[in-house]
Amino acid sequence: MENELINVLIADDEPLVRDGLKYIIDWNALGFCICGEAANGDDALAMIHKYQPGLVLLDIRMPGMYGTELMEKVRGEGFSGDFIILSGYSDFKYAQTALHFGASFYLTKPIDEDELEKAVISVREKIETTKNRENSLNQYLSKAKTTVLYDLIATTEFNPSINYVELGLSFPIYQIIIYEGYTPYYRSYSFADILRVTNHDNNSFEHITVDGHDVILLKGNFALERFQACLRHYEEGTQKGSPLDTIFLAYGPTVSSLSNIHTSYEMCLNLMNRRFFCEENQHVLSYENLPAQSENALVLDEELALSYATLLVNYLKTCNHRRISEVLTNLKNDLYNCNAETSNIKYFLADIFLQIKTSIMHTYSDADIPFAHNAAIIELIENKYYLYEILLYFTEQFDMIMRAIGSNSNESILDDIIDYIRHNYAMPLKLETIAPLFGYNSSYLGKLFTQKMGLSFNSYLDQVRIREAVNLLDNTDMKVYEIAAKVGYKNVDYFHQKFKKRMNMSPAEYRKR
């Protein structure tokens, strides 16, 4: 308040009075700034709406609207500024009405300089006291709010006696997000700052640090809609180096009660612990990505490691790319659904690879296979951040082994990929996820695929899916949306679009004909 001048509006129908009031005292020295003048009630009302002055010097009788009428109207609209009433009439009824509507002083004309100055100083002190009280209350509420938020999110404590409305925490729906940098040790943008750009009434979310995690509490439908817009950006693909590209998000389910916020937060924590299973360029994990908990979850022991190693060795010896990719897919799924810690999974994978190395070196002792030392292999696997990186290392090493002991041409790999597509078209296939299974970079494999097939990977996948959809339309009574799901299209509208593009008619039209 020390350097902040309070706006004052002068409203009087006499120009000489208005001019006199501007210079009768030193307004700036007293902490005020004249923001405008009004010659009638209507102008005064408009200026109060526009400037929201802290003080109004108001003539009791003006054309258009009496001062008391104006006070009644703006008080009804929620205006909280102070009034000093100016009147040429020493009328008790006017004074009584003005005081009823919150006038601080009632001065009669001609205005006495000392009397006005005392009144103005009194108003300033009142405004400052109110402001300081509000600041203290806001600071207290802010500290209390942080404590309440922490308890709601990090614990199961819910105190129904707390006034959550006063703290700005009463909404029909909530959702928890945890965010961190997408790349380890690289500074990312703040997701809270990105949301704040479109924050509705500055009250649609809360940002708090809980046990070292950046946590966002979305409040209300507007906040959820803005978050869904962000998720759509991720689905469409983020631009490299953009703010969203630097962030990794995990989000829990929506809840309708403050007492259930902790559940959404716990799911986010579980998701953050499963970043190891993300695909390349994946920036978001949803609570829907959490596998169902099972008492019969897979146990990663030496026997299981030996069975995987034996399978892979047999297919390496026969240079069977398709079988190797199937085993790696099964391995990935088993690991995804087990309850083991990431460190134990890495140890399990290192065990599999070292068994494969030992077996291959024993069988092909004369082959020149440039394996790394065991310690280097273990360290490399331990330092990988994601499972797909380890499986890519596996496929690269398998490619090296098969080149050393047999045939591994581009032609044979593409044949295996085509075979893989024909057997797995119903799955959400992407070149980015298939390429590592065959030991290739996705962009390079895409070029090889287009060269051999004469069409892109996605076009070929659509061709296979639509061909199977035609078969199901011809030979079954399945509904169109069921067929769409069965051949790999989650979105039935997208399936319609692809089918019509390839067949020049809709699925329903095809079935009729």
Side-chain angles (χ1 to χ4, degrees), residues 62-287:
M62 287 189 299
M65 189 184 306
Y66 271 26
T68 49
E69 293 179 81
L70 175 66
M71 290 179 68
E72 180 179 10
K73 184 173 182 61
V74 296
R75 288 300 191 214
E77 295 171 348
F79 177 67
S80 59
D82 282 87
F83 287 95
I84 293 178
I85 296 300
L86 312 175
S87 175
Y89 304 88
S90 181
D91 190 317
F92 177 73
K93 287 185 178 180
Y94 283 124
Q96 190 178 41
T97 304
L99 293 172
H100 173 73
F101 290 116
S104 298
F105 294 91
Y106 186 96
L107 306 181
T108 56
K109 300 175 183 178
I111 304 300
D112 179 78
E113 177 183 343
D114 293 335
E115 191 176 9
L116 176 62
E117 185 169 317
K118 287 179 182 178
V120 169
I121 291 172
S122 177
V123 168
R124 187 196 67 204
E125 290 173 350
K126 174 187 173 185
I127 292 173
E128 288 176 345
T129 300
T130 302
K131 188 71 174 178
N132 291 334
R133 188 184 300 115
E134 288 176 355
N135 287 340
S136 297
L137 179 60
N138 289 337
Q139 288 176 5
Y140 168 78
L141 287 176
S142 178
K143 291 179 180 179
K145 187 176 189 176
T146 300
T147 302
V148 169
L149 273 173
Y150 183 90
D151 289 342
L152 285 171
I153 293 170
T155 73
T156 55
E157 295 181 18
F158 177 76
N159 188 345
S161 65
I162 293 175
N163 189 339
Y164 292 103
V165 175
E166 186 179 30
L167 295 174
L169 296 174
S170 181
F171 286 81
I173 192 166
Y174 310 89
Q175 189 170 28
I176 289 287
I177 305 167
I178 295 180
Y179 73 92
E180 61 187 21
Y182 177 72
T183 305
Y185 318 117
Y186 178 79
R187 184 180 178 186
S188 68
Y189 284 83
S190 166
F191 189 64
D193 289 343
I194 294 173
L195 282 179
R196 196 168 283 115
V197 173
T198 55
N199 193 7
H200 187 59
D201 295 334
N202 199 34
N203 195 36
S204 64
F205 75 92
E206 302 291 343
H207 177 211
I208 184 174
T209 301
V210 179
D211 301 332
H213 295 288
D214 276 303
V215 180
I216 299 288
L217 170 64
L218 301 178
K219 306 180 300 182
N221 289 313
F222 176 83
L224 268 61
E225 289 169 6
R226 297 306 309 154
F227 180 56
Q228 288 299 316
C230 286
L231 293 183
R232 285 193 291 273
H233 279 297
Y234 279 117
E235 290 174 1
E236 294 165 2
T238 58
Q239 184 179 354
K240 285 295 180 184
S242 67
L244 288 178
D245 186 53
T246 68
I247 297 169
F248 180 84
L249 302 170
Y251 64 95
T254 58
V255 295
S256 57
S257 169
L258 284 169
S259 60
N260 293 327
I261 285 176
H262 178 69
T263 304
S264 188
Y265 172 70
E266 284 292 324
M267 287 195 181
C268 286
L269 284 181
N270 291 337
L271 288 169
M272 279 299 186
N273 292 331
R274 294 182 61 82
R275 277 198 69 175
F276 177 67
F277 297 101
C278 287
E279 301 291 349
E280 187 174 4
N281 295 322
Q282 183 177 350
H283 288 263
V284 179
L285 271 179
S286 162
Y287 65 94

Side-chain angles (χ1 to χ4, degrees), residues 417-419 421-422 449 453 455-467 502:
I417 291 174
I418 291 167
D419 188 63
I421 293 171
R422 288 172 177 166
F449 193 97
M453 302 302 297
L455 68 168
S456 69
F457 172 86
N458 288 333
S459 295
Y460 180 78
L461 178 59
D462 283 331
Q463 187 181 83
V464 172
R465 286 172 168 171
I466 297 304
R467 185 166 60 236
R502 192 163 295 277

